[in-house]
Amino acid sequence: MVSAGSTRIAGFVVDVFCTPMMDVAAEFGVPSYVFFTSNATILGVMFHMENLSPEEYVDLTELKDSDAELELPGFVNPVPVKMLPAPFLDKEFGSKFMSIAKRMRETKGIMVNTFEELESSAVRFLAENDKVPPVYPVGPLIHVFNNKNEEEEEAMEIMKWLDNQPLSSVIKLDYKKDFGSDNTKVMLVTAEEIDIGIRKLMEGGNACGEEIKRRVKEMSETSKVVLVEGGSSYNSVGLLIEDFMNNVHTHSMSC
């Protein structure tokens, strides 16, 4: 990030998997920021797990096939261990994730692709945690089509891919492996059955489906409001820019 009208560096913005670049920023004497493309809830879980003491630490890899549940920040209800993202359930990747979380604590701020209204509990946990750098919800960052033709072309590509798949494609569900059920019976679910299930959930006449549709529509509208002036993400970006400018001012004073 370079300040306008000058060549002074306001800070380095690095991807979550490029935290070693923070050492380069340190050589320039400027702060680092991380852009976290996942959501605030996962970020909170990473910091939570990395901060556990040896006595509190839980080896999730030993619980991935159990019915164990964890109380995690950002979640209203206990979370089944088996439902956590795969990296948390792998020793090698889990260790790397914890190392990344530790490095992120050294940054001056973390940009997250989310917005406060979508993940209020997770954003609140991060904001109130004095061991976590300032978190800036700057989302939703999505691909915006330049025109309707571009959108239609992508839709056609998706349909073309689907048309090239084998006829009567099925999804194999192993209830013991995928759902932890004692029933070892393997079931084949046709695409038609999946379609019926989704329609039953989302179409009218189903109370649960109607509630989901209402909430999705409400959040869809909110996701647009947060990006305009006065919206939560708009304000968050403003605070981030203000911090960048303070970096330039501080660097100028020290020169």
Side-chain angles (χ1 to χ4, degrees):
M1 178 62 65
V2 180
S3 62
S6 76
T7 56
R8 296 189 184 280
I9 300 176
F12 274 39
V13 177
V14 302
D15 181 82
V16 67
F17 294 111
C18 297
T19 50
M21 286 296 295
M22 292 166 54
D23 297 329
V24 178
E27 292 181 10
F28 280 90
V30 295
S32 297
Y33 298 81
V34 165
F35 178 48
F36 193 77
T37 55
S38 189
N39 55 64
T41 301
I42 292 299
L43 180 62
V45 171
M46 288 178 65
F47 279 130
H48 172 74
M49 297 300 296
E50 189 271 331
N51 193 51
L52 292 177
S53 66
E55 294 76 22
E56 298 173 313
Y57 180 75
V58 178
D59 188 346
L60 298 180
T61 61
E62 296 180 358
L63 301 175
K64 62 182 179 180
D65 295 320
S66 72
D67 294 324
E69 296 181 332
L70 296 177
E71 297 281 351
L72 295 173
F75 289 88
V76 176
N77 299 313
V79 180
V81 172
K82 67 182 70 173
M83 299 302 293
L84 290 173
F88 287 100
L89 304 178
D90 182 279
K91 281 187 180 294
E92 182 179 354
F93 281 102
S95 176
K96 290 180 179 178
F97 262 51
M98 296 306 100
S99 296
I100 291 173
K102 187 174 182 178
R103 287 306 307 265
M104 284 196 293
R105 291 186 189 277
E106 303 171 20
T107 65
K108 199 164 187 283
I110 303 172
M111 290 164 267
V112 188
N113 186 18
T114 189
F115 53 100
E116 188 174 346
E117 291 82 350
L118 180 64
E119 298 185 272
S120 56
S121 296
V123 172
R124 189 182 311 112
F125 164 77
L126 293 166
E128 295 175 352
N129 192 326
D130 58 6
K131 295 182 179 180
V132 174
V135 171
Y136 300 93
V138 297
L141 302 179
I142 58 175
H143 172 64
V144 178
F145 295 102
N146 294 322
N147 52 60
K148 189 172 180 61
N149 289 336
E150 185 180 342
E151 183 175 2
E152 290 176 348
E153 287 176 7
E154 181 164 312
M156 289 177 64
E157 284 296 318
I158 294 173
M159 295 305 297
K160 182 179 179 181
W161 181 86
L162 289 171
D163 288 340
N164 288 332
Q165 303 312 300
L167 293 175
S168 302
S169 296
V170 298
I171 294 178
K172 177 182 177 182
L173 298 179
D174 184 330
Y175 274 68
K176 183 174 183 180
K177 177 181 178 182
D178 298 334
F179 301 104
S181 170
D182 291 332
N183 183 0
T184 58
K185 182 179 180 180
V186 174
M187 298 185 65
L188 295 179
V189 182
T190 66
E192 182 180 4
E193 289 174 311
I194 294 174
D195 179 64
I196 292 173
I198 293 175
R199 290 182 184 279
K200 186 180 294 185
L201 176 65
M202 298 303 295
E203 290 182 352
N206 182 292
C208 180
E210 288 299 318
E211 175 62 15
I212 291 175
K213 287 169 64 177
R214 184 193 67 78
R215 292 173 62 185
V216 169
K217 183 177 180 180
E218 180 181 293
M219 200 54 64
S220 175
E221 293 301 319
T222 302
S223 69
K224 300 172 185 176
V225 174
V226 299
L227 296 173
V228 300
E229 187 172 358
S232 61
S233 291
Y234 182 96
N235 293 336
S236 186
V237 171
L239 292 173
L240 179 62
I241 293 174
E242 185 178 316
D243 197 49
F244 286 151
M245 299 310 296
N246 287 337
N247 293 341
V248 175
H249 178 71
T250 301
H251 184 70
S252 299
M253 295 290 289
S254 62
C255 291

